[in-house]
Amino acid sequence: MTKDEIIIRNAIIHILDSTVGMPVLSEHVLEMGPDLSDLIRGHIYRIAAGDELKNCVFDTEIEPEEMVIYNLLQNFDEENMVQVSQEIAKHLYTIMNQNLDIPAADFLVVTYQVSSQRHLALLKLNYKESFVHMTGNDEEGNNYNDIIKQTATLPSASARLSEAVLINLEDFTVQIVEKKYEINGVKTNYLSELFL
């Protein structure tokens, strides 16, 4: 697959910051301009072409109520993307909120196609700290410049995401990039073992 073969169809972003106390769920898909489409396409391509990618399948032999994501995808289409993405985001937020070592993030849910096959990307955009300049005026009206820390900056366009899931919506095969975090005292691949 080349980067140009990835066609972004729709995307929605939800805020999963445990310091807020609840997920901030969007009720609208994103307006897809060329810059945003290129950003998302680049992230998907770097994940799909990366060395850390693992191929998996859903375990359909576990209890049905534990197959939250698989069950949601059974009736998924772009008409119900907002509602299904909200349910997926709530499921991930619950896991994150119960395990504080898992970093806060924005959660980007994307439908895309490659060679006429539909896919779903679940991209966890873990927050980074960065510094930006700020300008303002003091009480006398004099201009001042300052440097402030931003704690909820998204990964750059060239960054490789450390947590993402790519799902083929035709056969439900899964590709995953994940990072272990401490869950109940044990380093765990929570995306594959708890989330999916």
Side-chain angles (χ1 to χ4, degrees), residues 26-109:
S26 180
E27 296 180 2
H28 299 280
V29 295
L30 294 167
E31 294 288 327
M32 294 302 286
D35 289 341
L36 181 55
S37 186
D38 285 345
L39 172 75
I40 295 170
R41 182 182 298 108
H43 280 307
I44 291 171
Y45 177 73
R46 276 188 296 286
I47 292 161
D51 295 337
E52 302 89 27
L53 194 66
K54 298 186 285 188
N55 294 310
C56 325
V57 293
F58 286 100
D59 183 358
T60 56
E61 296 183 16
I62 62 174
E63 296 298 320
E65 62 272 4
E66 293 180 27
M67 300 182 344
V68 175
I69 303 302
Y70 183 79
N71 291 336
L72 286 168
L73 294 180
Q74 294 307 300
N75 298 313
F76 174 78
D77 61 42
E78 289 179 299
E79 297 297 316
N80 65 7
M81 182 172 182
V82 172
Q83 294 79 18
V84 170
S85 72
Q86 288 176 338
E87 292 304 314
I88 292 170
K90 286 189 233 177
H91 179 58
L92 179 56
Y93 184 80
T94 299
I95 294 167
M96 291 169 61
N97 220 21
Q98 293 169 349
N99 301 284
L100 298 179
D101 282 351
I102 300 172
D106 281 6
F107 185 58
L108 188 60
V109 179

